[in-house]
Amino acid sequence: MSTLDLTACTPVNDLWPALVEALGLERSARAARQAFDLQAMHGQASTLPVLIVETCGVALVEREVLRLSTGLPAPLGEGVLLLCSQRQRQLQLLQLQLP
């Protein structure tokens, strides 16, 4: 198990489009749903799901850790997803419409 070093990551706006281009919309959406499923099964109001773009691995991160590490506020509520590229040291916060 590895830890995410969010302090080393730069916020960007192109991780989701790059993921969709690489995997296609259906596979990207399936990976996002798996992250949301992890949040639903093991998360709390204080966590948000993370999708690792290189592997489509999923994790949970504390909202406060995200804020303290990056300065980014994580919106409350459902549909918030953090994309993280460990290789590129980038991250993107998304607010997705859940069905």
Side-chain angles (χ1 to χ4, degrees):
M1 178 176 153
S2 66
T3 36
L4 292 173
D5 182 10
L6 299 178
T7 58
C9 293
T10 302
V12 297
N13 291 319
D14 60 355
L15 285 179
W16 180 252
L19 185 64
V20 170
E21 186 174 318
L23 299 180
L25 183 58
E26 185 178 321
R27 289 177 65 197
S28 299
R30 188 177 323 129
R33 278 193 302 273
Q34 289 175 343
F36 288 124
D37 287 347
L38 178 66
Q39 171 69 17
M41 289 186 294
H42 300 287
Q44 303 169 5
S46 64
T47 61
L48 65 121
V50 180
L51 176 61
I52 309 300
V53 297
E54 288 87 7
T55 63
C56 289
V58 296
L60 297 173
V61 66
E62 290 286 334
R63 292 172 187 269
E64 186 66 11
V65 169
L66 175 68
R67 190 186 67 72
L68 293 173
S69 298
T70 66
L72 294 174
L76 295 175
E78 295 183 2
V80 179
L81 177 66
L82 180 66
L83 296 176
C84 183
S85 171
Q86 293 180 301
R87 185 178 306 129
Q88 297 173 331
R89 293 191 173 142
Q90 297 177 333
L91 52 85
Q92 180 180 8
L93 261 178
L94 295 176
Q95 178 83 44
L96 301 174
Q97 296 293 325
L98 297 176

